[in-house]
């Protein structure tokens, strides 16, 4: 099999990218509960970039194969019934336990980390199915369960942000969208999304405070971190809960008003899609998967794809994604 391999973790993203090597390595053997997937496509995600920099919560023995998500066909299985049932099936997967990775022609993963796919789900959509749609679904469900009338989210021009808008509308939950680039305001509005704020607007906090009060927003989903976390929380009503699920802007949080935490019952919590998934019964997660796949098949949801690259052109692919992350996913296609 061919695979991109990371010889060492590099804090600098360009050095990390330059250190990757495309190598031919043996196909690994299988444990009874594992399957071998011939990969058809794999996306580049922010978590992948954090991983190759050594800044993610998952570390693998080096040299490591990056890539947590992808899609492909199960061509070989272990002896467990759950694994054998997947032979010949198209699957989408997200795996942080595998010693391998999706930036390769094959990956060995646990059968429980695979999602069976409907026939009419295109490869490009299947490659990006296992993370962002479920993240958006889980957060909208959290807002619904807590009785929130409106959601505040940053990184709203990204794929999770767009999914949240669509799913929240179905639950009659308003969304206040925060973007980091001024041009994304017009872009979001052209797509029909409303209540779009530019984070660097001189009146940002005043506008956010007004919109939050108007729509009754008391829950925030933060993918950015840094100073923006404190700026958002400071503008929110008493009792607001902010859930951090990414660190696109910084790996630390700042500018959080201490008095808001002490006297205004505001809180900062973490959100992790994998932990949410673990709390669900397997059948419940399968039902959610089927529901989301139907929405993709009907065109209600769609992941934006800005480019596809052969695995050998990985440097060009990763640089494209780093430069224009909010323009859509970049896919690596094994040859």
């Amino acid at each position: 099999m061919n695979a991109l391999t990371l010889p060492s973790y590099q804090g600098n993203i360009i050095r990390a990218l330059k250190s990757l090597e495309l190598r031919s390595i043996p196909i690994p053997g299988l444990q009874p509960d594992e399957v071998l997937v011939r990969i058809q496509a794999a996306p580049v995600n922010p978590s992948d970039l954090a991983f190759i920099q050594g800044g993610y919560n998952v570390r693998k023995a080096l040299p490591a194969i990056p890539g947590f998500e992808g899609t492909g066909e199960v061509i070989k299985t272990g002896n467990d019934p759950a694994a054998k049932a997947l032979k010949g099936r198209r699957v989408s997967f997200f795996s942080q336990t595998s010693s391998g990775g999706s930036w390769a022609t094959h990956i060995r993963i646990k059968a429980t980390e695979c999602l069976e796919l409907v026939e009419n789900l295109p490869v490009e959509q299947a490659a990006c199915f296992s993370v962002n749609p479920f993240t958006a679904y889980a957060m909208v469900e959290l807002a619904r369960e807590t009785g929130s009338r409106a959601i505040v989210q940053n990184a709203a021009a990204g794929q999770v942000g767009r999914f949240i808008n669509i799913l929240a509308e179905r639950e009659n939950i308003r969304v206040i969208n925060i973007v980091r680039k001024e041009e994304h305001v017009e872009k979001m509005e052209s797509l029909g999304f409303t209540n779009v704020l530019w984070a660097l607007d001189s009146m940002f906090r005043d506008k956010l405070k007004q919109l939050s009060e108007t729509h009754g927003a008391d829950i925030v989903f933060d993918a950015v971190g840094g100073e923006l976390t404190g700026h958002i929380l400071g503008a929110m009503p008493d009792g607001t809960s902010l859930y951090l699920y990414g660190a696109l802007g910084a790996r630390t949080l700042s500018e959080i008003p201490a008095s808001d935490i002490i006297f205004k019952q505001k809180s900062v919590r973490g959100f992790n899609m994998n932990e949410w998934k673990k709390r669900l019964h397997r059948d419940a997660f399968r039902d959610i998967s089927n529901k989301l796949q139907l929405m993709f098949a009907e065109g209600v949801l769609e992941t934006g794809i800005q480019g596809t690259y052969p695995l050998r052109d990985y440097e060009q692919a990763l640089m494209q994604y780093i430069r224009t992350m909010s323009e859509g996913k970049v896919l690596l296609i094994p040859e």
Side-chain angles (χ1 to χ4, degrees), residues 11 29 65 72 91 100 105 112-114 120 161 167 207 224 232 234 249 251-252 264 301:
I65 303 173
V91 297
T105 54
T112 53
E113 294 172 321
C114 295
N120 57 346
L167 295 173
K207 291 178 179 179
V224 178
I232 292 173
R251 294 179 184 172
T252 58
K264 297 183 179 180
L301 298 177

Side-chain angles (χ1 to χ4, degrees), residues 37 43 45-48 51 56-58 60 67-72 91-98 100-102 107-115 126-135 272-275 277-278 282 285 329:
V37 179
N45 287 322
S47 57
D48 300 320
F51 171 78
Y56 198 57
N57 69 323
V58 174
K60 300 180 181 181
F68 297 121
E69 185 181 20
T71 189
V91 297
S92 175
F93 62 85
F94 178 75
S95 176
Q96 294 184 334
T97 63
S98 171
S102 63
I107 186 173
R108 181 190 73 182
I109 54 176
K110 292 184 180 297
T112 53
E113 294 172 321
C114 295
L115 292 172
C128 311
F129 179 70
S130 291
V131 179
N132 286 345
F134 290 95
T135 299
N272 182 292
M273 193 270 289
N274 281 334
E275 293 302 316
K277 180 180 175 180
K278 288 177 183 177
R282 179 71 179 171
F285 186 76
K329 290 298 181 184

Side-chain angles (χ1 to χ4, degrees), residues 147-172:
S148 298
R149 293 166 46 205
I151 291 167
V152 172
Q153 64 163 341
N154 57 22
Q159 200 61 68
V160 172
R162 298 185 191 190
F163 288 158
I164 284 177
N165 274 279
I166 295 167
L167 295 173
E169 183 179 11
R170 292 188 158 215
E171 299 291 341
N172 294 315

Side-chain angles (χ1 to χ4, degrees), residues 2-3 12 43 67 76 99 101 123 137 139 180 211 228 234 271 311 314 332:
N2 292 327
N12 180 282
K76 189 176 181 180
S99 59
V123 168
Y137 181 94
M139 290 193 288
R180 291 185 291 166
L211 280 174
L228 187 55
F271 175 85
L311 194 59
Y314 63 90
L332 295 171

